[in-house]
Amino acid sequence: GAKRDGGGRFRFFEPEMQARVQARRCLEADLHQALRKGEFELHYQPLVNLAQGCISGFEALIRWRHPERGLLCSDTFIPVAEAMGLIVPMGKWILSRACMDAASWPEGLKVAVNLSAAQFSDSGLTDAVTVALATSRLAPGRLELEITESLLLRDTEDSVAVLHRLRASGVSISMDDFGTGYSSLSYLLKFPIDKVKIDRSFVLAMDERPEGAAIIRAIAGLCQTLGLATTVEGIETPEQMRQVASQGCTEGQGYLFSPPRPAAEIPAMLAQWRYRECLAS
Ligand code: C2E
Ligand code: MG
Ligand code: MG
Ligand code: MG
């Protein structure tokens, strides 16, 4: 509760707040160290071409191999890395690592890399992309950059220019978590993008009531008209897959096919890939 300190000012929840500030400072220091010590790794989740039943690429998702706490998922540290600005140097490492990894995969397989808002507004982004591609010798057409609607919300004019510049270098742009932000539909016309990733919440809505599928069908149809590819995120069951596949989407992604796996497991994943076995059950 509120306490009166020596100077007569009120201080609220002091011990709890101090503990939280302390924990946050520790995490920030740890994150800096982690980048220098190479404790981050990229895991990869397959993107599945629904018409052909084959893997068309992988999305890179960052993990932190923490010396004491084990393998940590992105949501435990990405927001902090964003808030402290560390996401910019971290993002450069992610781009380089992902391009290097993808360069060792069979030709034609793409790699998708998530971008944070701070990276997107950083003037060094195009250079970072160019350097990652040049160093890895990955064909630019094999790199997809995932951005979100909320990231574009900030500064429309500039964002359009950045997107044009990125696409001019040969990479493609995907709109991630589509449908969770504002003005979604107008964004499809306003911004030069190549693919829309339909958010997992629409797959969940589909489970709740049949009309849920209508939203996916509508987005997929609109994207088709606009010449955009579509990926449905968060497919966990064969039943969801069956419904999604009939809605005219290009790709699926989700635990049904595979959770994100370490880079070293990709050759085995490709060798053992059986689309129809995923759907059977
Ligand atoms: P996202 O880009 O939308 O990534 C999809 C998230 O959904 C991933 O969580 C993935 O593991 C999870 N997912 C995939 N399939 C399923 C499924 O079938 N069911 C459910 N419930 N979840 C599924 P993850 O790896 O924890 O990443 C969370 C978010 O953190 C990402 O969302 C992305 O916004 C951010 N993130 C992850 N890696 C990076 C990165 O390298 N850079 C940046 N800037 N952000 C990243
Ligand atoms: Mg993503
Ligand atoms: Mg997503
Ligand atoms: Mg998401």
Side-chain angles (χ1 to χ4, degrees), residues 235-243 256 277-281:
I235 298 171
E236 296 181 353
T237 68
E239 181 49 35
Q240 290 170 342
M241 185 61 238
R242 274 190 280 273
Q243 290 201 56
L256 172 67
E277 279 171 29
C278 294
L279 301 191
S281 79

Side-chain angles (χ1 to χ4, degrees), residues 62-104:
I62 195 165
R63 299 291 181 263
W64 180 4
R65 185 76 61 183
H66 194 283
E68 287 123 40
R69 295 160 64 198
L71 193 67
L72 302 181
C73 274
S74 343
D75 47 0
T76 60
F77 61 90
I78 282 277
V80 179
E82 282 170 346
M84 65 192 273
L86 188 69
I87 194 68
V88 173
M90 221 168 122
K92 284 186 183 145
W93 177 83
I94 294 167
L95 274 166
S96 298
R97 184 71 259 162
C99 289
M100 294 284 239
D101 286 340
S104 75

Side-chain angles (χ1 to χ4, degrees), residues 32-168:
H32 260 299
Q33 290 277 335
L35 189 58
R36 288 200 297 113
K37 291 194 203 151
E39 290 172 1
F40 294 114
E41 43 187 82
L42 294 184
H43 285 204
Y44 292 94
Q45 186 178 37
L47 302 162
V48 179
N49 178 306
L50 297 180
Q52 281 155 27
C54 60
I55 294 178
S56 50
F58 293 89
E59 177 175 3
L61 294 157
I62 195 165
R63 299 291 181 263
W64 180 4
R65 185 76 61 183
H66 194 283
E68 287 123 40
R69 295 160 64 198
L71 193 67
L72 302 181
C73 274
S74 343
D75 47 0
T76 60
F77 61 90
I78 282 277
V80 179
E82 282 170 346
M84 65 192 273
L86 188 69
I87 194 68
V88 173
M90 221 168 122
K92 284 186 183 145
W93 177 83
I94 294 167
L95 274 166
S96 298
R97 184 71 259 162
C99 289
M100 294 284 239
D101 286 340
S104 75
W105 303 342
E107 286 282 333
L109 286 180
K110 296 185 174 194
V111 65
V113 174
N114 292 284
L115 293 184
S116 290
Q119 275 177 282
F120 192 76
S121 41
D122 181 64
S123 60
L125 175 64
T126 344
D127 278 351
V129 170
T130 310
V131 167
L133 289 170
T135 314
S136 63
R137 296 169 168 270
L138 184 78
R142 294 176 62 189
L143 176 62
E144 294 181 354
L145 300 175
E146 296 194 1
I147 57 167
T148 58
E149 293 165 80
S150 53
L151 173 154
L152 295 173
L153 216 115
R154 298 177 152 196
D155 190 341
T156 310
E157 283 311 304
D158 247 4
S159 302
V160 171
V162 172
L163 291 175
H164 276 302
R165 212 170 331 122
L166 288 170
R167 283 173 102 223

